[in-house]
């Protein structure tokens, strides 16, 4: 029961991290000016922030996949709240583990070679938590099925 609560919390945190900044690749200064530290902190026009991914150049399919990578755990959690009997089906648990790996690939693509910001840390932490809890529940279920088959 505590694992399910942790899994739901991780799904919610991953969804929230979608709305937070994930990573920042570099901060480049205007070569004609030498801004002070205060100007950089106030995000003056002489600061050009470049992100690790080019979301504007992605196709509509990549954008949809990125949104799905952040939202599927919450959608699956809501479905399993309504249909609780599907929670112990091995294929649902295997699908959740596979989708965690796919989401990790999307998140790696979005944050690659960049300095992680608060959203990136939250996304990685919640995705790893969701994956580990799903894997633990899957292994517990396999052990239960295995012990029933031996008897």
């Amino acid at each position: 029961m505590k694992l399910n609560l942790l899994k739901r919390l991780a799904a919610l945190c991953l969804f929230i991290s979608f709305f937070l900044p994930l990573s920042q690749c570099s901060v480049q200064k205007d070569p004609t000016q030498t801004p002070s530290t205060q100007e950089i902190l106030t995000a003056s026009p002489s600061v050009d922030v470049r992100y690790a991914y080019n979301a504007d150049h992605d196709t509509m399919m990549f954008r949809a996949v990125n949104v799905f990578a952040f939202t599927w755990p919450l959608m699956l959690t809501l479905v399993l709240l309504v249909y609780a009997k599907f929670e112990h089906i091995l294929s649902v648990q295997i699908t959740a583990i596979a989708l965690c790996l796919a989401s990790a690939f999307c998140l790696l693509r979005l944050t690659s070679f960049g300095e992680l910001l608060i959203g990136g840390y939250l996304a990685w932490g919640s995705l790893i938590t969701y994956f580990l809890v799903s894997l633990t529940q899957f292994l517990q279920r396999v052990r239960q099925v295995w012990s029933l088959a031996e008897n």
Side-chain angles (χ1 to χ4, degrees):
M1 190 61 154
K2 290 183 181 183
L3 287 178
N4 283 336
L5 182 63
L6 185 61
K7 198 172 172 181
R8 291 174 188 153
L9 183 64
L12 183 63
C13 287
L14 184 62
F15 179 72
I16 290 170
S17 70
F18 179 72
F19 301 101
L20 298 173
L22 297 175
S23 68
Q24 180 175 334
C25 185
S26 63
V27 177
Q28 297 179 348
K29 300 175 189 170
D30 186 8
T32 60
Q33 294 180 352
T34 56
S36 66
T37 308
Q38 182 63 29
E39 287 177 328
I40 291 175
L41 293 177
T42 59
S44 68
S46 63
V47 176
D48 181 25
V49 177
R50 300 199 183 272
Y51 290 97
Y53 61 96
N54 294 323
D56 294 337
H57 302 294
D58 281 347
T59 63
M60 185 68 160
M61 183 186 73
F62 281 124
R63 291 179 188 171
V65 168
N66 290 338
V67 169
F68 183 73
F70 284 89
T71 58
W72 73 264
L74 191 60
M75 291 187 298
L76 183 64
T77 300
L78 293 175
V79 167
L80 291 178
L81 280 174
V82 174
Y83 301 106
K85 61 183 175 184
F86 292 133
E87 189 171 6
H88 300 292
I89 298 175
L90 285 177
S91 60
V92 172
Q93 294 175 345
I94 291 171
T95 303
I97 292 170
L99 285 174
C100 279
L101 295 175
S103 291
F105 176 76
C106 288
L107 192 57
L108 182 65
R109 183 179 164 270
L110 289 173
T111 62
S112 63
F113 306 115
E115 178 186 343
L116 287 181
L117 298 176
I118 186 71
Y121 287 117
L122 183 63
W124 277 112
S126 57
L127 186 62
I128 289 170
T129 302
Y130 194 92
F131 174 75
L132 291 176
V133 170
S134 296
L135 188 63
T136 302
Q137 288 178 334
F138 170 72
L139 293 175
Q140 287 175 348
R141 183 66 181 145
V142 166
R143 193 173 75 200
Q144 287 174 353
V145 170
W146 191 266
S147 66
L148 288 177
E150 287 180 348
N151 295 331

